[in-house]
Amino acid sequence: MTRRVRIIGAPTDYGANRRGVDMGPSAIRYAGLADELEAAGVACRDDGDLTVPRMEERVPDAEVPPAGTARFLRETREVCSALADRVADSIDAGAVPLALGGDHSIAIGSLSGSARDASVGAIWFDAHGDFNTPTTSPSGNVHGMPLAAALGVGDFTAEAYDWARALGLDPAHVALVGLRSLDDDERDAIRDSAVTAYTMSDIDQRGIAAVVDDALDVATDGTDGMHVSLDLDWLDPTVAPGVGTPVRGGVTYREAHLAMEAVARSGSLRSMELVEVNPVLDEHNETAALAVELAASAFGKRVL
């Protein structure tokens, strides 16, 4: 075994609008994550879960943003700051951190930890752009804001969000893959930014292999490695039913595996997260099992 992985659970649903995603880390572990990674030739260590108080014990507006609305902002800051430290410590120890969500707001912590002392690229496999800010978000749910937060877009330039910005992450090294659901202001913000965005139409027209290869070039050219953020709603809901914000028309089972196999071949994976698995909405834990399969592919599992 030549590669080491540290699993870090972040069982939070502070950023989501449907309950249950906080059970995602348990569901993914139950689906055999450690065994699958070890079968892929990876030395796996599970560091357990971050301590995350239940939503019922907290107040959504205990900490308000300088402008707009961001629900459970204090709680998100606490979780993401702790996760950032765990991610950075894992990298310092020579391991690849694999964070298990929870909702996608945890990516703020993953990215800031991965980019703490390095130039990092990122590939965002997601149906959504996650490029909203507290003033553009229709819901105030932070799981729709993590990429904008990490890049310091719009409202997130404020000093109050110093904890959220990933200082070593340049938008020119960020690629979004498989977009198919954007809010109007979010769409404008993506167009005005230096990030590279590929919609499902791009995948339909060019094929998943060509799109992912281009995304890898974006994320790895001149960087110290890349962060991969895999939201399970990137896949079509017929394949991954257990997610909180499903959108029809996503990638297929084989397209998703091909993408993760390309990530493995790149040899540039620095950190990764699996997010938005919701066992309450799942069928026989199949979305969690799929998350496990895709993680194994990203870390080098092959048929031959």
Side-chain angles (χ1 to χ4, degrees):
M1 293 185 179
T2 58
R3 302 197 72 189
R4 292 190 292 147
V5 171
R6 285 193 183 179
I7 298 169
I8 308 163
T12 174
D13 58 358
Y14 295 133
N17 58 355
R18 300 180 76 171
R19 303 303 309 275
V21 75
D22 57 317
M23 294 184 283
S26 293
I28 294 169
R29 288 186 176 102
Y30 181 76
L33 178 62
D35 289 343
E36 282 295 303
L37 290 176
E38 289 174 0
V42 176
C44 182
R45 175 177 133 180
D46 193 332
D47 282 357
D49 288 345
L50 301 173
T51 300
V52 179
R54 292 183 298 117
M55 182 184 287
E56 291 84 359
E57 300 172 358
R58 296 297 182 108
V59 179
D61 57 356
E63 180 177 316
V64 297
T69 305
R71 300 175 67 251
F72 293 103
L73 184 60
R74 176 188 65 181
E75 289 71 20
T76 301
R77 173 174 52 79
E78 292 170 350
V79 170
C80 289
S81 296
L83 179 58
D85 288 341
R86 291 270 202 104
V87 166
D89 289 347
S90 298
I91 293 171
D92 288 344
V96 178
L98 175 58
L100 309 179
D103 68 77
H104 215 157
S105 68
I106 72 161
I108 298 171
S110 300
L111 281 168
S112 58
S114 187
R116 181 169 291 178
D117 298 308
S119 172
V120 175
I123 302 184
W124 207 262
F125 294 103
D126 199 333
H128 308 90
D130 296 343
F131 225 75
N132 270 308
T133 70
T135 56
T136 67
S137 170
S139 65
N141 294 323
V142 182
H143 74 164
M145 309 181 197
L147 189 52
L151 291 172
V153 172
D155 303 340
F156 290 112
T157 58
E159 184 178 350
Y161 297 111
D162 284 350
W163 59 272
R165 290 192 289 276
L167 299 181
L169 181 68
D170 187 321
H173 293 137
V174 175
L176 297 89
V177 177
L179 296 176
R180 58 191 188 276
S181 178
L182 298 172
D183 297 312
D184 290 342
D185 289 338
E186 182 183 33
R187 181 181 295 109
D188 292 340
I190 291 173
R191 286 173 174 163
D192 292 341
S193 76
V195 304
T196 302
Y198 303 98
T199 68
M200 282 305 303
S201 292
D202 293 310
I203 293 174
D204 292 340
Q205 293 168 7
R206 300 180 54 211
I208 188 71
V211 169
V212 172
D213 283 347
D214 285 355
L216 286 167
D217 288 342
V218 169
T220 61
D221 185 20
T223 66
D224 297 313
M226 67 176 171
H227 175 76
V228 167
S229 188
L230 177 56
D231 187 323
L232 270 293
D233 71 24
W234 181 53
L235 289 98
D236 193 82
T238 58
V239 180
V243 297
T245 50
V247 184
R248 289 189 296 178
V251 299
T252 66
Y253 175 86
R254 270 310 314 159
E255 286 174 329
H257 270 289
L258 191 151
M260 294 304 107
E261 289 160 6
V263 166
R265 286 196 304 272
S266 76
S268 298
L269 184 59
R270 179 179 174 88
S271 53
M272 183 175 180
E273 70 220 349
L274 304 169
V275 297
E276 299 289 350
V277 173
N278 191 329
V280 173
L281 304 173
D282 208 0
E283 299 173 7
H284 309 293
N285 212 36
E286 71 175 275
T287 305
L290 177 56
V292 167
E293 288 186 32
L294 294 175
S297 287
F299 283 97
K301 185 175 181 179
R302 298 183 299 177
V303 175
L304 288 175

